Amino acid sequence: MSLLDRIKSRSSVSGENVPASSVTASPAPFQSTRSEVRATAPEAVLRGLAPDGGLYVDPAISSGCFDVQGCLALSPLEQAEKILSHLLPGFGNMHALVQRAYDGRFASPELTPLVPVGDDYVLELFHGPTAAFKDVALCMLPQLMTAARTITGMRDKTVILTATSGDTGKAALEGFHDVPGTGIMVFFPYQGVSAVQEAQMLTQEGANVAVCAVKGNFDDCQTAVKQVFSRYADSAPIPGVRLSSANSINIGRLAPQVVYYFLAYASLIKQGRIRYGEAVDYVVPTGNFGDILAGWYAKQLGLPVGRLVCASNANRVLTDFLTTGVYDRRREFYKTSSPSMDILVSSNLERLLFYAADGDTAAVKNDMLRLQNSGYYKISAKALDFIQKDFSACCCSEAETLSEIRRCFGETGYLPDTHTAVALHAARAYRKTERSGAPVVVLSTASPFKFPAAVLTALGEVPEGDAFSQMAQLSRVSGLEAPVSLSGLQDKAYLHNDVIEKADIADYVLNTLGRL
Ligand SMILES: *Cc1c(COP(=O)(O)O)cnc(C)c1O
């Protein structure tokens, strides 16, 4: 049975006999990727992960009507409001939530400015309060959670557990600190994030925050956090507390990211580069597959997205998967200069697998169990075809990342960070092999000042002193200014010093919940 048939039959079972096109308006549009368990948008946002360990998806995402052209003509905040009301129905006054999330909090009124660089365009996603692209989503998520608590009548405190490879942690802390009714707990890999990222997290103020380093890599943190979620999916870990997630497994994290694909497209129209309807290719530095999946969602809403090029660093598990259909995490893990993409278990891929398998939750569940137990899975030829219709992939070695920074700065005067450099390298490789002729938008996920040592090295300089001296050094070398949210960290006191073994995450959670 096809996905659409299943949606139809579900409607007729409940006696409503509604046409498929109005299914998106059903009271519980979301379901798990691993079973038919359903949820409303506010429930899905509050829970984070579905009770069966799956991720929440809207099976009818591509069958609703969305006025793309009308949306593109609006202001950035109006576009956000329109897209989020469509993707997350049932939140009531999305206007107020969007205003509170973004108004006056980003350095640019465009939110995510589009900058011409050589023949391509760079979409700068890092002008939010923590200078991270994660801010786009994590300014919005606390607004959605707070509204969802009211809508569902939730009395318990919501405690957010977050595993971070660097940027999510700080952006989540910034979004959730001192938000009434919530607490926030962040786990990051000990010595596995940049000095600046570490300083950002360890200086976080707020009465409801906990920050903890874990002796392990990001995947260890994420796996442990997911296990804690599964254990307390239907029960309170301590009385009066419910757990939730701010990782991109939360649909309330993913949906706001769809917006910047529209903003880039609207900007290309405004700059006279394209007319409405022409395809635009996007090259996306991704690890957990959230950043790029948001682009695929934009395409399902009807945005004329051409190809989505998945850019990986030396941890090339996604490149291999997208070219062969075999996902295999049994490989060496590399610590690279683009640490936010040092990921071997790519959570959001599960959502794409659901659509590629035509909504076959048993197949998705099988693959996820196989990944957990055996370390790999292989999707069907049909599913791979479905995925390759929209996605290309390219990876970039450490040496290529650094030479890309040097080349880009030398040839264009634009200074990318290490993650953006991975994508710029992928964009050039993509141009050589698959010339579609469409404009190429390269997503830029971090300021170069966040990774000053690597960027200085790429430019042939010897980094001097601590991260803050290096920021100043990079300013001198490049003639650019460091964002104040980064350079100002120097004067802040370190407030957190917990370091634990990865086996102790669950205990740490239980012991810490009470004080948040
Ligand atoms: C999070 C992050 C990414 C990757 O985002 P995904 O959600 O893994 O797709 C890329 N670059 C930076 C700087 C990030 O913080």
Side-chain angles (χ1 to χ4, degrees), residues 125-126 131-134 164-168 197 218 247-249 253-254 257 260-261 284-294 311 318 338-343 346-348 417-420 443-447 450-451:
L125 305 175
F126 54 78
F133 115 85
K134 306 287 194 290
T164 184
S165 55
D167 279 355
T168 298
Q197 290 174 320
F218 170 70
N247 281 86
S248 57
I249 52 176
R253 218 347 251 287
L254 192 62
Q257 296 186 227
Y260 51 72
Y261 285 87
V284 190
T286 193
N288 234 341
F289 211 71
D291 199 6
I292 196 164
L293 186 68
L318 283 170
S338 44
S340 295
M341 292 152 67
D342 289 347
I343 288 170
S346 195
S347 302
N348 261 297
D417 95 296
T418 45
H419 303 76
T420 309
L443 273 59
S444 171
T445 47
S447 155
K450 209 156 204 179
F451 304 94

Side-chain angles (χ1 to χ4, degrees), residues 228-245:
V228 177
F229 279 133
S230 314
R231 190 171 333 155
Y232 300 108
D234 278 317
S235 61
I238 62 171
V241 168
R242 293 284 166 165
L243 300 180
S244 189
S245 163

